[in-house]
Amino acid sequence: SGIGGTTATNSGAGGSGMDGLLVGGVTAVTGGGPNGPAMEFDGGWGSYIDIASGITGLGGGSAFTLAGWIRTGTAGASLLRKNGAAAWAFGEELFYLTGKGGAGGAGGYVGGVQHSGGFIAGSTNAVNNYTWRFFAISRASDYSTIYVDGVLDGGSGNMGLPDPGGTVRLGFSSGNDDSVPFVGQMDDFQVYNTALTGDQIAELATASSTGGQLPSTTTLHIDEGAMLDLGRGCHQTVHALYIAGFRMWRGTWGSTSSAAENQDDVHFAG
C-alpha cells in the first residue's frame, strides 16, 4: 500500500473503495517502513486510519487473516478495531498489544499481540520493543492463531461472537479492555478473507524483511480472491506459482499495466 496526502491507498481487492482516511495525528513517513512509506501514529485518542467502506467477516464463523509490520514501545497499543465507534458493542472485534501481565494477558506477556472480543488469544512474546516486528492473526474453524516474525507464537479457541457494525479503524481505541491508541509506525497492513497457513505467513514475513524479495526457491500461492501487489517496476522470481490452486506455466505474470507475458488484473497489481 502507499500513502498520499490524507489517504492510505489500498493495493488489494476492493480498489480505492477500501482506501483509508488518515484522521488526526497520522502522517506518512517516506521510506520509513520495511516496504517503503510507513504510517506514523502520534498516539492521540482522535488519531487513526478509517476504512469507510468497512470490512466484513472478522468475527462470527468467518475465516480471516490480519498481518503487517509494526514498530512501537507501547503496551496496549490498538492495531485494528471493528466496530470502531466510541461505545463498545457486543461482539466487537479488537486486535491490540496487551497491557496486562499474568493470567489475563497474552501468555502473561505485556506487549504481546492479542485478539479480544469476549475471548482472549495472545502471543507468548512481546513485540513492543521499538523495532520493526511482523505480526499475523489467522482465524479458522473458531480458532485464532497468532504469529510473530513469521513464527507460530500462540492461539486459542473463541466464542464466535457476531461481529457487529461495519466501522473499521486502524490504531483506534476508546479505552475498552486495556487498549490505548496506537503510537509508533505501521507498514503494509494486510487483511485477507481467508485463514492463511503458517507457511504462507512465513513467506509474507520473509518477503517483507528482505526488502520485498522472495527466495528463488519459493512456491508462491495466490488464493482465489487475493491479489499480489509487486509495485510498479518490481518483480519476483519464484520456483513455482499457483493461482487459485492451479499451477501456472513457466513465464512472466503481472497486471495489464506491466510488460508481463501473462496479464491478469484479478490476481496482480503493479
Side-chain angles (χ1 to χ4, degrees):
S1 62
I3 304 175
T6 59
T7 302
T9 305
N10 169 47
S11 60
S16 60
M18 300 295 287
D19 286 351
L21 176 66
L22 277 57
V23 179
V26 183
T27 56
V29 180
T30 303
N35 289 320
M39 301 171 285
E40 178 86 43
F41 294 75
D42 68 357
W45 289 96
S47 299
Y48 53 88
I49 295 178
D50 182 54
I51 304 175
S53 65
I55 298 173
T56 60
L58 296 186
S62 302
F64 65 84
T65 303
L66 304 183
W69 286 90
I70 56 174
R71 181 163 64 179
T72 184
T74 302
S78 175
L79 301 174
L80 180 148
R81 182 171 168 183
K82 176 183 184 294
N83 174 43
W88 182 263
F90 176 74
E92 181 167 311
E93 301 295 320
L94 174 63
F95 307 88
Y96 66 109
L97 309 184
T98 182
K100 296 179 180 178
Y109 220 116
V110 173
V113 181
Q114 186 157 318
H115 176 191
S116 178
F119 55 86
I120 293 176
S123 70
T124 59
N125 286 292
V127 296
N128 58 332
N129 59 348
Y130 295 99
T131 61
W132 282 109
R133 307 295 298 275
F134 187 83
F135 81 93
I137 301 170
S138 178
R139 183 178 183 279
S141 300
D142 209 32
Y143 192 92
S144 296
T145 306
I146 296 180
Y147 299 80
V148 173
D149 298 330
V151 178
L152 176 65
D153 197 40
S156 176
N158 59 59
M159 294 161 39
L161 294 177
D163 186 30
T167 301
V168 176
R169 293 173 176 173
L170 303 184
F172 175 84
S173 172
S174 61
N176 295 99
D177 285 356
D178 58 315
S179 71
V180 296
F182 187 86
V183 56
Q185 296 178 353
M186 294 186 187
D187 186 28
D188 200 18
F189 202 105
Q190 304 165 52
V191 181
Y192 297 84
N193 62 358
T194 186
L196 297 185
T197 66
D199 287 344
Q200 290 171 318
I201 289 170
E203 286 184 3
L204 287 178
T206 301
S208 298
S209 63
T210 56
Q213 292 301 309
L214 291 170
S216 60
T217 55
T218 296
T219 296
L220 179 62
H221 292 263
I222 304 176
D223 292 335
E224 187 64 42
M227 177 180 286
L228 175 65
D229 182 9
L230 295 173
R232 185 173 295 276
C234 297
H235 68 276
Q236 297 276 5
T237 300
V238 296
H239 173 70
L241 171 65
Y242 286 79
I243 298 178
F246 294 93
R247 182 166 180 165
M248 300 296 102
W249 52 89
R250 185 181 181 90
T252 57
W253 294 78
S255 70
T256 54
S257 64
S258 72
E261 300 165 339
N262 306 288
Q263 297 185 340
D264 173 2
D265 285 335
V266 175
H267 298 99
F268 294 92

